[in-house]
Amino acid sequence: QVDASRQTTKISANVAGFLGTTRIALNDNLLKQCTLPEIRSVMAHEMGHYVLNHGVKLTLYFGIFFLVGFALTRSLFESAVRRWGDRWGVRGVADPAGLPLLALILSAFFFVLTPFSNTVTRATEREADTFGINTAREADGMAKVALKLGVYRKLDPGPLEEFIFFDHPSGRARIRMAMDWKAAHLPAGDVDPGGPATGTPTQP
């Protein structure tokens, strides 16, 4: 448990650590504000990150992004210095006078990269959602957590907005996933542990 309520009212959970130090942490807001089915759905989602090795995969992906970014930054920097270095008074990559240019190029690269890095992260979150709902079988719990997250995260962004700015699936997408899963796996009349019975009860 993470004591986050002193700083925020947001609910959150995460997987942290590497190799033998990996742990799943649920903040105290989550434990206080959510029902057991909702907590189980979140816990199963975080277990998905662990089981699917998302920490290692994301480290690899972002390591590649950084390598490409540094290589591209150096190439563009050297090209700019060859063309305008005398005018700017920049002699090379080791010249402190070139730091603003390096920062500008690197910042521009990561700005352009943002939609793609968000897409990579969003894909792993989607995988964890799939693992979580199949493990916990808490469709209503998952949907209700998505609604609670909607207090501070837009529930229904447009496709372009989600592509550029969202590193998690939108609340609408998560609720749709939960309801589609429920329709496919919980026949009418069955009870989802995370919600009320579905279907029309029969009279004795």
Side-chain angles (χ1 to χ4, degrees):
Q1 176 182 338
V2 177
D3 184 7
S5 58
R6 296 180 183 180
Q7 300 176 332
T8 180
T9 59
K10 293 181 179 180
I11 61 175
S12 69
N14 65 80
V15 179
F18 193 66
L19 298 177
T21 66
T22 306
R23 67 167 188 164
I24 295 175
L26 311 177
N27 79 0
D28 58 333
N29 293 322
L30 176 74
L31 300 178
K32 292 174 183 176
Q33 297 176 27
C34 294
T35 64
L36 283 176
E38 292 165 5
I39 293 171
R40 283 195 291 266
S41 73
V42 173
M43 186 68 180
H45 170 93
E46 299 303 331
M47 288 170 60
H49 284 308
Y50 174 77
V51 172
L52 299 172
N53 294 313
H54 284 162
V56 174
K57 291 177 182 177
L58 287 175
T59 299
L60 177 62
Y61 295 151
F62 282 94
I64 293 172
F65 289 155
F66 274 97
L67 286 175
V68 172
F70 288 137
L72 183 61
T73 297
R74 175 158 188 158
S75 176
L76 292 175
F77 178 86
E78 290 177 346
S79 296
V81 168
R82 282 195 299 269
R83 184 168 183 177
W84 299 294
D86 291 339
R87 184 189 308 174
W88 295 343
V90 178
R91 295 184 298 275
V93 72
D95 188 346
L99 281 176
L101 178 59
L102 282 171
L104 177 63
I105 296 172
L106 198 59
S107 297
F109 170 77
F110 283 109
F111 176 77
V112 173
L113 181 68
T114 297
F116 304 99
S117 61
N118 282 347
T119 297
V120 169
T121 305
R122 195 168 58 250
T124 62
E125 293 295 333
R126 180 79 174 182
E127 289 178 355
D129 283 343
T130 301
F131 179 95
I133 197 167
N134 283 310
T135 300
R137 301 180 65 83
E138 297 284 5
D140 288 341
M142 177 179 175
K144 290 174 182 177
V145 169
L147 286 173
K148 289 180 177 178
L149 291 172
V151 172
Y152 46 86
R153 184 184 297 164
K154 192 172 181 180
L155 274 173
D156 191 14
L160 183 61
E161 182 181 8
E162 184 172 7
F163 171 69
I164 295 174
F165 298 109
F166 279 60
D167 59 2
H168 283 62
S170 67
R172 181 181 185 278
R174 283 176 153 169
I175 293 170
R176 178 63 182 266
M177 171 189 271
M179 295 301 99
D180 285 347
W181 185 94
K182 183 176 180 179
H185 294 85
L186 296 177
D190 282 7
V191 177
D192 176 0
T198 59
T200 303
T202 57
Q203 297 296 326

